[in-house]
Amino acid sequence: MAQHLRGGRRSLAICAPSAGVGCSYLASSLAVAMSQAGIKTLLIDGNLREPGVGDYIYSTSQAPGLLQCLGDENVAFGEAIRTDVLPGLSLMYAGGTTNQPQELLASPEFKALIDVCLRDFDLTIVDTPPSNVCADGRSIAAVLRYAMVVARRDSSFVSDVRQVVEELKGDKVNVIGTFLNDF
């Protein structure tokens, strides 16, 4: 990650070939670690089908999330970012689920949101849904341009990980590495 940031890269999509490999856990842990290292970090729960970041980082404040930012023109991006999570860590929850996440994540509003995040934060990490369920993770990673693929020991197949990496590279996403989760 240090090399990733030193290279001027300010975004990272956390992708997985299948559910249950720890994608949300890794995204949350990585965001906390980066904020504790003094990096102004934003974590976005980009899984509009089955959000998971809230399982690891809980906030008592009520605010709109990514879904409201992309689906309601009256919600400003800043209204959905919780800045009180931890010192140096801001968070945007998914804001619920929707039947049309692909349309929202492929919208110009999502690209504009990411542009604002890249301007305002040193690092923006986005948790994505598993690729065997939908192409949402590929859409998110294409906008962020950088991705890390998470696999789970004794659960993920090498061929599935390889396929996700190839699909991301086909979308012109720089895959900075993989992470083998063993929880």
Side-chain angles (χ1 to χ4, degrees):
M1 278 307 300
Q3 184 179 15
H4 182 71
L5 291 170
R6 270 194 302 269
R9 300 170 194 104
R10 302 168 61 96
S11 61
L12 186 63
I14 306 296
C15 303
S18 58
V21 300
C23 197
S24 298
Y25 173 76
L26 178 65
S28 301
S29 298
L30 188 59
V32 169
M34 293 294 104
S35 69
Q36 290 176 340
I39 298 166
K40 186 177 176 187
T41 305
L42 172 64
L43 173 61
I44 299 175
D45 191 341
N47 191 341
L48 298 177
R49 295 174 189 267
E50 193 173 330
V53 171
D55 294 343
Y56 301 101
I57 303 174
Y58 181 74
S59 177
T60 57
S61 65
Q62 295 295 322
L66 178 61
L67 178 61
Q68 291 75 31
C69 275
L70 301 178
D72 185 350
E73 61 190 37
N74 296 321
V75 176
F77 295 152
E79 292 177 39
I81 297 175
R82 292 175 175 91
T83 57
D84 60 344
V85 179
L86 290 171
L89 177 64
S90 297
L91 180 65
M92 180 184 290
Y93 289 102
T97 61
T98 180
N99 295 335
Q100 54 184 346
Q102 188 65 36
E103 291 82 7
L104 294 173
L105 295 170
S107 70
E109 290 81 10
F110 182 69
K111 171 79 169 97
L113 168 68
I114 296 301
D115 289 343
V116 169
C117 296
L118 295 179
R119 183 192 68 215
D120 294 346
F121 294 91
D122 297 331
L123 178 62
T124 300
I125 298 172
V126 182
D127 179 35
T128 70
S131 66
N132 69 345
V133 174
C134 60
D136 299 356
R138 288 177 63 187
S139 296
I140 292 169
V143 173
L144 272 68
R145 297 183 13 234
Y146 300 97
M148 179 183 287
V149 177
V150 182
R152 184 173 179 189
R153 183 173 175 241
D154 298 329
S155 176
S156 299
F157 294 103
V158 172
S159 60
D160 292 344
V161 173
R162 188 175 292 130
Q163 180 180 350
V164 171
V165 169
E166 289 173 6
E167 289 172 351
L168 290 168
K169 286 182 177 180
D171 292 336
K172 296 185 175 34
V173 175
N174 296 308
V175 179
I176 68 162
T178 58
F179 182 86
L180 182 61
N181 207 346
D182 186 20
F183 65 90

